[in-house]
Amino acid sequence: MTANLVYKRVSTDQQSTARQNLVLDEAGIDDPIPFEEEAGTSSRLHPLERPKFGELLAYARPGDTVHISEMFRLVRGTGHILDVLDVLHRDRLALRIHDGAFSAMDLTARHPRTGELLSTVKFMVQTLAAAGELQRDLQRELTYDGLRAAEAKGNKGGRGPAIPADKTDDVRTAYLEGRSIAALARDHDVSRGALRTAVADLLPEYTAADQDAPAPGLPVVLDMPGKVADFLRAAELEPAEPAALDQGVTVRRGQGYTLRVSTEPEAHRQLLDRCQPLSNATAIPTQRKARREYENRVGTLAPTGP
């Protein structure tokens, strides 16, 4: 007897699965078996590295169907889609998407003789993903142009502090009294990153800046493999880090691409640290290789400290 496996995910602990539940309930799935990621823990990971999706794959048997509300609940970039489809095909699982651009397609359809993903399906997947990427790129360009125009008028872009100044002292006192980052984030309805920024100098890993340290180095241009860039764009980054990615230049290379990033050496090292999950044994081989390439390039940079 086949099973209906329902996968749900949200990106932050401020979000809920209410909309996903509505879509999936309306689909009338028989005897659904739910697999829901813990809120806020999976956005940095490749789908095949997420704990609950891994449990789903381990539980599944040939002939079972994986149900999701929208495609982006499971995957973000084109490479992720094809990676997941390969695994579903290997395990002989069907995929059913109940809302969005992919909802009318059988993404697991294969050629009856070769067993390869149907060329029409692959074309549609790549076309829809490329359209989404184009939309994001255009939005970045418009945002960058708007920031430049604002700077020309003497206005400083960017968001204000997520935690109001009159609340900062209360947050810091509560943290010193033992309240956790997660609890304070819920109390003040902000992200954990905003909380960490407010109490940065109180964190165990904080090290006071050396007043005699040299000024930050000049920007250095490095080529970041596309799979690394895709991973970082889906990750939770510090406010200054996405700007380096947004201003990078895309260089097409066959089926993939390289992002030419210009930023300070230390920023390259921080971005390399962010993609540490790609070095895990559970990562896709092409992702591990991409991270090693970026690591090798970052390793050529001169140290910034004494």
Side-chain angles (χ1 to χ4, degrees):
M1 182 176 179
T2 59
N4 290 308
L5 314 178
V6 175
Y7 178 75
K8 292 182 280 188
R9 181 186 74 86
V10 292
S11 299
T12 72
D13 53 9
Q14 278 79 48
Q15 297 175 322
S16 77
T17 58
R19 185 180 183 281
Q20 296 175 67
N21 293 337
L22 177 63
V23 171
L24 294 166
D25 288 346
E26 290 178 345
I29 301 169
D30 293 332
D31 299 322
I33 301 173
F35 292 84
E36 183 176 338
E37 300 286 357
E38 184 178 345
T41 62
S42 60
S43 61
R44 296 185 180 185
L45 299 177
H46 188 286
L48 299 178
E49 298 173 353
R50 295 178 188 149
K52 285 298 180 181
F53 192 62
E55 288 184 20
L56 182 152
L57 293 176
Y59 180 91
R61 295 295 179 266
D64 290 352
T65 300
V66 179
H67 297 265
I68 54 176
S69 57
E70 303 103 346
M71 174 61 87
F72 68 84
R73 295 299 177 185
L74 178 59
V75 297
R76 289 287 181 179
T78 309
H80 289 186
I81 296 174
L82 298 178
D83 289 340
V84 170
L85 292 181
D86 282 342
V87 169
L88 295 179
H89 173 64
R90 179 199 68 192
D91 295 345
R92 290 183 286 167
L93 304 176
L95 174 64
R96 183 73 173 88
I97 303 166
H98 293 277
D99 196 17
F102 293 93
S103 59
M105 299 172 58
D106 180 4
L107 297 181
T108 53
R110 300 276 168 164
H111 192 282
R113 289 187 296 276
T114 66
E116 297 291 331
L117 189 68
L118 285 180
S119 57
T120 51
V121 173
K122 191 172 184 178
F123 172 76
M124 288 301 297
V125 167
Q126 292 174 329
T127 300
L128 289 170
E133 183 178 346
L134 174 62
Q135 182 180 17
R136 291 193 297 272
D137 288 345
L138 289 174
Q139 186 61 49
R140 289 191 194 101
E141 291 175 8
L142 291 172
T143 301
Y144 181 62
D145 290 343
L147 289 173
R148 291 186 63 188
E151 289 173 358
K153 295 179 180 179
N155 299 325
K156 184 178 180 181
R159 298 178 181 178
I163 301 175
D166 60 346
K167 297 289 185 183
T168 301
D169 288 343
D170 293 341
V171 167
R172 291 168 64 83
T173 299
Y175 178 76
L176 289 172
E177 291 175 349
R179 291 283 284 170
S180 70
I181 293 290
L184 286 168
R186 287 193 297 271
D187 292 347
H188 294 271
D189 194 24
V190 297
S191 69
R192 298 182 189 185
L195 243 301
R196 285 184 171 277
T197 298
V199 300
D201 59 319
L202 306 178
L203 297 173
E205 62 267 26
Y206 175 80
T207 303
D210 184 350
Q211 298 298 318
D212 297 324
L218 295 175
V220 175
V221 178
L222 289 182
D223 283 352
M224 177 186 292
K227 288 190 177 295
V228 172
D230 289 342
F231 175 85
L232 290 172
R233 281 172 169 151
E236 295 176 356
L237 304 178
E238 293 300 323
E241 293 171 340
L245 300 177
D246 292 345
Q247 296 175 26
V249 177
T250 299
V251 181
R252 294 292 171 186
R253 298 185 183 281
Q255 296 283 331
Y257 75 99
T258 290
L259 189 67
R260 192 151 291 162
V261 179
S262 176
T263 189
E264 293 80 9
E266 187 56 33
H268 278 295
R269 295 186 181 95
Q270 290 172 356
L271 290 171
L272 178 63
D273 288 342
R274 295 287 184 193
C275 59
Q276 179 63 32
L278 297 186
S279 65
N280 296 340
T282 54
I284 303 300
T286 53
Q287 289 183 312
R288 294 202 297 269
K289 179 180 178 182
R291 187 190 181 280
R292 284 197 302 271
E293 290 177 1
Y294 186 47
E295 183 177 31
N296 291 338
R297 291 165 189 166
V298 173
T300 65
L301 299 177
T304 55

